[in-house]
Amino acid sequence: MEDQNCPASVMTRKRKSQEEDNCISSTFYMDELNEDLLERVLSRLPTSAFFRLTSVCKRWKSVASSPSFNLACSQIPSRDPWFMVDPLLNRSIVFDSIERSWKKLNHPPLLQKNSNCNSMPVSASGGLICFRNSYGNFIVCNPVTGSCNEHPPLDPSLQNLTFHAIVMHSCPKYEQSSYKLVVVFGELPKLSFRVYNSDTGSWEEETALCKKFDDDSAESESSEDNAAVYFLSKAGNVVATNMQRSPSKQYSSVITTSKDGEEIVHFLSSSGSVVACNLATKCFSEYPRLLPVFFEYSIDLVECGGRMLVVLLSEFFESASLRVWCYDEDVRSWHQIAAMPPAMSHEWYGKNVDINCVGAGDQILICLSSAEISSCVRCDLAANEWVELPKCFMDGEAIKFMSAFSFEPRIESSV
């Protein structure tokens, strides 16, 4: 038997003791960080985690109001999105894509005023969401911090016109986010648009859009958009081609930038065709239909990675199909880029389901709703993964959602 007090054993114990002393001396304490480095570390945390950590100590709580911390946050290129679903009275419900959980956000005081209590979200970009109140006025706010700004009202003569698109495009920068709000209105084919510029704090002059005809077929199709077409469904129900949408998604529209740097607003006409408005050339055109007008389907637009995509739910051969399509400008045709697994989409067959969708990066959140059932499904386009979100319960009952908007939870975004 070996002697437990041999020199090798003694040296081993000494070595371990030295290593333990070195470990203790190299222990890292957050309190030892200078203010600048602490702010840079905290700025990289997910927003939900940061707010939880502000209760750790007074120093960390004071970071939230620091201008240099806002600067550090603004240098983070992007944040994983939150999805705001149909708002409730005086608060909103959001789904945190990082923590995969539902959260409740109180409305800022401006939205709780009697004149704004029924405001509906109509567009979102970056860390901001745009609401429209019952008087037709627009309010832009940061739902995380509660900062709000009510825009100057549009001309009263425009309030009675049909609004087709309300889109917002933001450019985050330090101290104040710069953004544009674009509204497209009128009756096809007589369309116009106006732009609100946050840098000037005012609306630009009204600009008319002219119709761009690519060929004779485009001109013949445009006549179908001016009136509803009624037909009998397979179930014997009378169906109109005019879409009935959730109030907050009646202005379903997205804005993208072309290869030439031109801003293009896409929206759905009343019969479901996609209309593209080029704000630079002041022209609009219509894309070819994905399905004939007499087919039963639900359709919505999303913006993902700078592309306009169409999400389409249709029924074929006694089964439902939900697919994502992209329009190729070069060959002027649609091509499929993703499809929900048949085992998931078949559940919606014969349920008269309406879909309302929103895109964020490579993700699409799809709200499927009908009189019978409702569900929220998140699609990862890069991985072609489809996951149903957990139900959101309030007072023991699952809440049904009709639509959603995506935004980045940015503390530094202000209006």
Side-chain angles (χ1 to χ4, degrees), residues 261-294:
E262 299 171 340
E263 292 181 327
I264 302 175
V265 174
H266 306 264
F267 68 87
L268 290 171
S269 70
S270 59
S271 61
S273 64
V274 179
V275 180
C277 305
N278 190 312
L279 304 185
T281 61
K282 302 176 179 58
C283 294
F284 75 92
S285 59
E286 297 177 60
Y287 290 164
R289 291 182 179 276
L290 275 162
L291 290 177
V293 68
F294 295 106

mmCIF file of all heavy atoms in Angstrom, residues 261-294:
data_model
loop_
_atom_site.group_PDB
_atom_site.id
_atom_site.type_symbol
_atom_site.label_atom_id
_atom_site.label_comp_id
_atom_site.label_asym_id
_atom_site.label_seq_id
_atom_site.Cartn_x
_atom_site.Cartn_y
_atom_site.Cartn_z
ATOM 1 N N GLY A 261 -33.767 50.565 -55.418
ATOM 2 C CA GLY A 261 -33.926 51.427 -54.261
ATOM 3 C C GLY A 261 -35.250 52.158 -54.214
ATOM 4 O O GLY A 261 -35.393 53.126 -53.446
ATOM 5 N N GLU A 262 -36.233 51.720 -54.996
ATOM 6 C CA GLU A 262 -37.551 52.366 -55.025
ATOM 7 C C GLU A 262 -38.482 51.703 -54.013
ATOM 8 O O GLU A 262 -38.544 50.472 -53.926
ATOM 9 C CB GLU A 262 -38.147 52.283 -56.430
ATOM 10 C CG GLU A 262 -37.307 52.975 -57.489
ATOM 11 C CD GLU A 262 -37.801 52.702 -58.900
ATOM 12 O OE1 GLU A 262 -38.525 51.705 -59.106
ATOM 13 O OE2 GLU A 262 -37.453 53.478 -59.805
ATOM 14 N N GLU A 263 -39.218 52.529 -53.250
ATOM 15 C CA GLU A 263 -40.154 52.007 -52.263
ATOM 16 C C GLU A 263 -41.454 51.596 -52.942
ATOM 17 O O GLU A 263 -42.023 52.364 -53.724
ATOM 18 C CB GLU A 263 -40.425 53.049 -51.182
ATOM 19 C CG GLU A 263 -39.217 53.346 -50.303
ATOM 20 C CD GLU A 263 -39.516 54.353 -49.224
ATOM 21 O OE1 GLU A 263 -40.342 55.256 -49.472
ATOM 22 O OE2 GLU A 263 -38.925 54.246 -48.133
ATOM 23 N N ILE A 264 -41.912 50.379 -52.635
ATOM 24 C CA ILE A 264 -43.124 49.833 -53.241
ATOM 25 C C ILE A 264 -44.073 49.388 -52.141
ATOM 26 O O ILE A 264 -43.691 48.617 -51.255
ATOM 27 C CB ILE A 264 -42.803 48.645 -54.168
ATOM 28 C CG1 ILE A 264 -41.823 49.077 -55.264
ATOM 29 C CG2 ILE A 264 -44.080 48.086 -54.789
ATOM 30 C CD1 ILE A 264 -41.366 47.941 -56.156
ATOM 31 N N VAL A 265 -45.289 49.892 -52.188
ATOM 32 C CA VAL A 265 -46.330 49.503 -51.247
ATOM 33 C C VAL A 265 -47.218 48.458 -51.914
ATOM 34 O O VAL A 265 -47.719 48.668 -53.020
ATOM 35 C CB VAL A 265 -47.181 50.714 -50.810
ATOM 36 C CG1 VAL A 265 -48.353 50.255 -49.947
ATOM 37 C CG2 VAL A 265 -46.322 51.718 -50.058
ATOM 38 N N HIS A 266 -47.392 47.327 -51.258
ATOM 39 C CA HIS A 266 -48.245 46.247 -51.766
ATOM 40 C C HIS A 266 -49.481 46.151 -50.878
ATOM 41 O O HIS A 266 -49.369 46.193 -49.651
ATOM 42 C CB HIS A 266 -47.515 44.911 -51.747
ATOM 43 C CG HIS A 266 -46.197 44.915 -52.461
ATOM 44 N ND1 HIS A 266 -46.057 44.494 -53.767
ATOM 45 C CD2 HIS A 266 -44.962 45.284 -52.048
ATOM 46 C CE1 HIS A 266 -44.782 44.590 -54.122
ATOM 47 N NE2 HIS A 266 -44.096 45.078 -53.097
ATOM 48 N N PHE A 267 -50.640 45.983 -51.492
ATOM 49 C CA PHE A 267 -51.859 45.762 -50.713
ATOM 50 C C PHE A 267 -52.793 44.843 -51.476
ATOM 51 O O PHE A 267 -52.606 44.582 -52.676
ATOM 52 C CB PHE A 267 -52.560 47.084 -50.372
ATOM 53 C CG PHE A 267 -53.168 47.813 -51.542
ATOM 54 C CD1 PHE A 267 -54.458 47.530 -51.974
ATOM 55 C CD2 PHE A 267 -52.453 48.804 -52.212
ATOM 56 C CE1 PHE A 267 -55.035 48.207 -53.038
ATOM 57 C CE2 PHE A 267 -53.005 49.491 -53.274
ATOM 58 C CZ PHE A 267 -54.307 49.188 -53.693
ATOM 59 N N LEU A 268 -53.787 44.336 -50.758
ATOM 60 C CA LEU A 268 -54.790 43.455 -51.362
ATOM 61 C C LEU A 268 -56.011 44.272 -51.747
ATOM 62 O O LEU A 268 -56.532 45.042 -50.939
ATOM 63 C CB LEU A 268 -55.208 42.353 -50.382
ATOM 64 C CG LEU A 268 -54.165 41.273 -50.080
ATOM 65 C CD1 LEU A 268 -54.658 40.387 -48.940
ATOM 66 C CD2 LEU A 268 -53.881 40.437 -51.308
ATOM 67 N N SER A 269 -56.456 44.092 -52.990
ATOM 68 C CA SER A 269 -57.701 44.745 -53.392
ATOM 69 C C SER A 269 -58.869 44.047 -52.717
ATOM 70 O O SER A 269 -58.707 43.011 -52.066
ATOM 71 C CB SER A 269 -57.859 44.693 -54.917
ATOM 72 O OG SER A 269 -58.119 43.365 -55.333
ATOM 73 N N SER A 270 -60.067 44.585 -52.868
ATOM 74 C CA SER A 270 -61.233 44.017 -52.195
ATOM 75 C C SER A 270 -61.543 42.603 -52.658
ATOM 76 O O SER A 270 -62.187 41.841 -51.938
ATOM 77 C CB SER A 270 -62.456 44.912 -52.427
ATOM 78 O OG SER A 270 -62.719 45.026 -53.818
ATOM 79 N N SER A 271 -61.090 42.223 -53.860
ATOM 80 C CA SER A 271 -61.350 40.876 -54.359
ATOM 81 C C SER A 271 -60.167 39.943 -54.178
ATOM 82 O O SER A 271 -60.212 38.798 -54.615
ATOM 83 C CB SER A 271 -61.733 40.929 -55.848
ATOM 84 O OG SER A 271 -60.672 41.466 -56.604
ATOM 85 N N GLY A 272 -59.093 40.419 -53.554
ATOM 86 C CA GLY A 272 -57.991 39.524 -53.240
ATOM 87 C C GLY A 272 -56.815 39.559 -54.188
ATOM 88 O O GLY A 272 -55.886 38.767 -54.027
ATOM 89 N N SER A 273 -56.790 40.458 -55.168
ATOM 90 C CA SER A 273 -55.623 40.561 -56.041
ATOM 91 C C SER A 273 -54.581 41.472 -55.395
ATOM 92 O O SER A 273 -54.906 42.356 -54.605
ATOM 93 C CB SER A 273 -56.018 41.107 -57.418
ATOM 94 O OG SER A 273 -56.507 42.424 -57.304
ATOM 95 N N VAL A 274 -53.325 41.246 -55.724
ATOM 96 C CA VAL A 274 -52.227 42.017 -55.148
ATOM 97 C C VAL A 274 -51.944 43.230 -56.019
ATOM 98 O O VAL A 274 -51.728 43.110 -57.225
ATOM 99 C CB VAL A 274 -50.956 41.164 -55.019
ATOM 100 C CG1 VAL A 274 -49.807 41.991 -54.434
ATOM 101 C CG2 VAL A 274 -51.213 39.937 -54.151
ATOM 102 N N VAL A 275 -51.944 44.415 -55.400
ATOM 103 C CA VAL A 275 -51.665 45.675 -56.096
ATOM 104 C C VAL A 275 -50.341 46.218 -55.577
ATOM 105 O O VAL A 275 -50.118 46.272 -54.368
ATOM 106 C CB VAL A 275 -52.794 46.700 -55.877
ATOM 107 C CG1 VAL A 275 -52.489 48.000 -56.610
ATOM 108 C CG2 VAL A 275 -54.131 46.124 -56.333
ATOM 109 N N ALA A 276 -49.460 46.613 -56.505
ATOM 110 C CA ALA A 276 -48.144 47.158 -56.150
ATOM 111 C C ALA A 276 -48.077 48.619 -56.561
ATOM 112 O O ALA A 276 -48.269 48.947 -57.735
ATOM 113 C CB ALA A 276 -47.035 46.357 -56.830
ATOM 114 N N CYS A 277 -47.797 49.500 -55.598
ATOM 115 C CA CYS A 277 -47.703 50.940 -55.849
ATOM 116 C C CYS A 277 -46.246 51.384 -55.703
ATOM 117 O O CYS A 277 -45.686 51.326 -54.610
ATOM 118 C CB CYS A 277 -48.583 51.725 -54.875
ATOM 119 S SG CYS A 277 -50.315 51.225 -54.854
ATOM 120 N N ASN A 278 -45.656 51.828 -56.789
ATOM 121 C CA ASN A 278 -44.284 52.326 -56.774
ATOM 122 C C ASN A 278 -44.316 53.809 -56.421
ATOM 123 O O ASN A 278 -44.783 54.633 -57.208
ATOM 124 C CB ASN A 278 -43.620 52.099 -58.137
ATOM 125 C CG ASN A 278 -42.127 52.362 -58.106
ATOM 126 O OD1 ASN A 278 -41.678 53.381 -57.589
ATOM 127 N ND2 ASN A 278 -41.360 51.457 -58.690
ATOM 128 N N LEU A 279 -43.822 54.159 -55.231
ATOM 129 C CA LEU A 279 -43.896 55.543 -54.770
ATOM 130 C C LEU A 279 -42.921 56.448 -55.515
ATOM 131 O O LEU A 279 -43.131 57.669 -55.562
ATOM 132 C CB LEU A 279 -43.600 55.610 -53.268
ATOM 133 C CG LEU A 279 -44.480 54.748 -52.356
ATOM 134 C CD1 LEU A 279 -44.140 55.010 -50.888
ATOM 135 C CD2 LEU A 279 -45.961 54.998 -52.613
ATOM 136 N N ALA A 280 -41.874 55.869 -56.105
ATOM 137 C CA ALA A 280 -40.889 56.670 -56.831
ATOM 138 C C ALA A 280 -41.386 57.034 -58.224
ATOM 139 O O ALA A 280 -41.306 58.195 -58.646
ATOM 140 C CB ALA A 280 -39.557 55.924 -56.920
ATOM 141 N N THR A 281 -41.929 56.048 -58.938
ATOM 142 C CA THR A 281 -42.419 56.301 -60.301
ATOM 143 C C THR A 281 -43.868 56.778 -60.321
ATOM 144 O O THR A 281 -44.381 57.168 -61.363
ATOM 145 C CB THR A 281 -42.296 55.032 -61.155
ATOM 146 O OG1 THR A 281 -43.105 53.984 -60.586
ATOM 147 C CG2 THR A 281 -40.851 54.560 -61.213
ATOM 148 N N LYS A 282 -44.538 56.677 -59.145
ATOM 149 C CA LYS A 282 -45.936 57.112 -59.005
ATOM 150 C C LYS A 282 -46.864 56.322 -59.926
ATOM 151 O O LYS A 282 -47.793 56.865 -60.522
ATOM 152 C CB LYS A 282 -46.072 58.622 -59.269
ATOM 153 C CG LYS A 282 -45.212 59.477 -58.342
ATOM 154 C CD LYS A 282 -45.297 60.939 -58.691
ATOM 155 C CE LYS A 282 -44.455 61.798 -57.745
ATOM 156 N NZ LYS A 282 -43.026 61.398 -57.739
ATOM 157 N N CYS A 283 -46.605 55.028 -60.016
ATOM 158 C CA CYS A 283 -47.434 54.124 -60.820
ATOM 159 C C CYS A 283 -47.836 52.927 -59.969
ATOM 160 O O CYS A 283 -47.175 52.597 -58.984
ATOM 161 C CB CYS A 283 -46.673 53.638 -62.057
ATOM 162 S SG CYS A 283 -46.279 54.929 -63.249
ATOM 163 N N PHE A 284 -48.924 52.274 -60.346
ATOM 164 C CA PHE A 284 -49.311 51.033 -59.689
ATOM 165 C C PHE A 284 -49.678 49.999 -60.729
ATOM 166 O O PHE A 284 -50.073 50.323 -61.865
ATOM 167 C CB PHE A 284 -50.466 51.254 -58.702
ATOM 168 C CG PHE A 284 -51.809 51.440 -59.337
ATOM 169 C CD1 PHE A 284 -52.658 50.356 -59.560
ATOM 170 C CD2 PHE A 284 -52.250 52.713 -59.717
ATOM 171 C CE1 PHE A 284 -53.915 50.535 -60.141
ATOM 172 C CE2 PHE A 284 -53.492 52.898 -60.297
ATOM 173 C CZ PHE A 284 -54.331 51.813 -60.513
ATOM 174 N N SER A 285 -49.526 48.749 -60.369
ATOM 175 C CA SER A 285 -49.857 47.635 -61.260
ATOM 176 C C SER A 285 -50.439 46.507 -60.426
ATOM 177 O O SER A 285 -50.333 46.510 -59.189
ATOM 178 C CB SER A 285 -48.612 47.156 -62.020
ATOM 179 O OG SER A 285 -47.605 46.743 -61.107
ATOM 180 N N GLU A 286 -51.047 45.548 -61.089
ATOM 181 C CA GLU A 286 -51.650 44.402 -60.417
ATOM 182 C C GLU A 286 -50.935 43.134 -60.833
ATOM 183 O O GLU A 286 -50.639 42.927 -62.008
ATOM 184 C CB GLU A 286 -53.135 44.310 -60.740
ATOM 185 C CG GLU A 286 -53.947 45.501 -60.255
ATOM 186 C CD GLU A 286 -55.405 45.393 -60.657
ATOM 187 O OE1 GLU A 286 -56.045 44.406 -60.245
ATOM 188 O OE2 GLU A 286 -55.890 46.273 -61.382
ATOM 189 N N TYR A 287 -50.682 42.279 -59.856
ATOM 190 C CA TYR A 287 -50.038 41.003 -60.148
ATOM 191 C C TYR A 287 -51.089 40.000 -60.624
ATOM 192 O O TYR A 287 -52.274 40.101 -60.261
ATOM 193 C CB TYR A 287 -49.352 40.448 -58.902
ATOM 194 C CG TYR A 287 -48.129 41.228 -58.464
ATOM 195 C CD1 TYR A 287 -47.593 41.060 -57.199
ATOM 196 C CD2 TYR A 287 -47.507 42.135 -59.312
ATOM 197 C CE1 TYR A 287 -46.463 41.757 -56.785
ATOM 198 C CE2 TYR A 287 -46.381 42.842 -58.909
ATOM 199 C CZ TYR A 287 -45.876 42.654 -57.656
ATOM 200 O OH TYR A 287 -44.759 43.353 -57.255
ATOM 201 N N PRO A 288 -50.683 39.018 -61.408
ATOM 202 C CA PRO A 288 -51.640 37.967 -61.805
ATOM 203 C C PRO A 288 -52.144 37.206 -60.587
ATOM 204 O O PRO A 288 -51.424 37.055 -59.594
ATOM 205 C CB PRO A 288 -50.811 37.078 -62.731
ATOM 206 C CG PRO A 288 -49.391 37.368 -62.390
ATOM 207 C CD PRO A 288 -49.351 38.805 -61.988
ATOM 208 N N ARG A 289 -53.362 36.743 -60.679
ATOM 209 C CA ARG A 289 -53.961 36.027 -59.552
ATOM 210 C C ARG A 289 -53.288 34.677 -59.347
ATOM 211 O O ARG A 289 -52.866 34.022 -60.292
ATOM 212 C CB ARG A 289 -55.451 35.807 -59.797
ATOM 213 C CG ARG A 289 -56.280 37.074 -59.750
ATOM 214 C CD ARG A 289 -57.756 36.737 -59.958
ATOM 215 N NE ARG A 289 -58.568 37.926 -59.904
ATOM 216 C CZ ARG A 289 -59.009 38.467 -58.776
ATOM 217 N NH1 ARG A 289 -58.713 37.899 -57.623
ATOM 218 N NH2 ARG A 289 -59.740 39.555 -58.792
ATOM 219 N N LEU A 290 -53.239 34.285 -58.084
ATOM 220 C CA LEU A 290 -52.758 32.945 -57.767
ATOM 221 C C LEU A 290 -53.822 31.898 -58.069
ATOM 222 O O LEU A 290 -53.512 30.795 -58.522
ATOM 223 C CB LEU A 290 -52.359 32.866 -56.294
ATOM 224 C CG LEU A 290 -50.930 33.322 -55.963
ATOM 225 C CD1 LEU A 290 -50.798 33.621 -54.483
ATOM 226 C CD2 LEU A 290 -49.940 32.252 -56.365
ATOM 227 N N LEU A 291 -55.074 32.230 -57.787
ATOM 228 C CA LEU A 291 -56.190 31.321 -58.038
ATOM 229 C C LEU A 291 -57.305 32.084 -58.746
ATOM 230 O O LEU A 291 -57.425 33.305 -58.588
ATOM 231 C CB LEU A 291 -56.726 30.742 -56.721
ATOM 232 C CG LEU A 291 -55.838 29.742 -55.981
ATOM 233 C CD1 LEU A 291 -56.490 29.339 -54.664
ATOM 234 C CD2 LEU A 291 -55.570 28.514 -56.827
ATOM 235 N N PRO A 292 -58.136 31.375 -59.520
ATOM 236 C CA PRO A 292 -59.287 32.044 -60.153
ATOM 237 C C PRO A 292 -60.198 32.675 -59.106
ATOM 238 O O PRO A 292 -60.241 32.248 -57.947
ATOM 239 C CB PRO A 292 -59.995 30.897 -60.890
ATOM 240 C CG PRO A 292 -58.937 29.853 -61.087
ATOM 241 C CD PRO A 292 -58.040 29.957 -59.897
ATOM 242 N N VAL A 293 -60.930 33.700 -59.522
ATOM 243 C CA VAL A 293 -61.755 34.455 -58.598
ATOM 244 C C VAL A 293 -62.846 33.613 -57.970
ATOM 245 O O VAL A 293 -63.313 33.904 -56.864
ATOM 246 C CB VAL A 293 -62.371 35.675 -59.321
ATOM 247 C CG1 VAL A 293 -63.380 35.242 -60.354
ATOM 248 C CG2 VAL A 293 -62.980 36.641 -58.322
ATOM 249 N N PHE A 294 -63.272 32.519 -58.639
ATOM 250 C CA PHE A 294 -64.373 31.722 -58.114
ATOM 251 C C PHE A 294 -63.921 30.634 -57.142
ATOM 252 O O PHE A 294 -64.732 29.841 -56.700
ATOM 253 C CB PHE A 294 -65.153 31.080 -59.277
ATOM 254 C CG PHE A 294 -65.830 32.082 -60.157
ATOM 255 C CD1 PHE A 294 -65.328 32.376 -61.415
ATOM 256 C CD2 PHE A 294 -66.942 32.775 -59.713
ATOM 257 C CE1 PHE A 294 -65.949 33.320 -62.225
ATOM 258 C CE2 PHE A 294 -67.557 33.720 -60.504
ATOM 259 C CZ PHE A 294 -67.058 33.998 -61.768
#
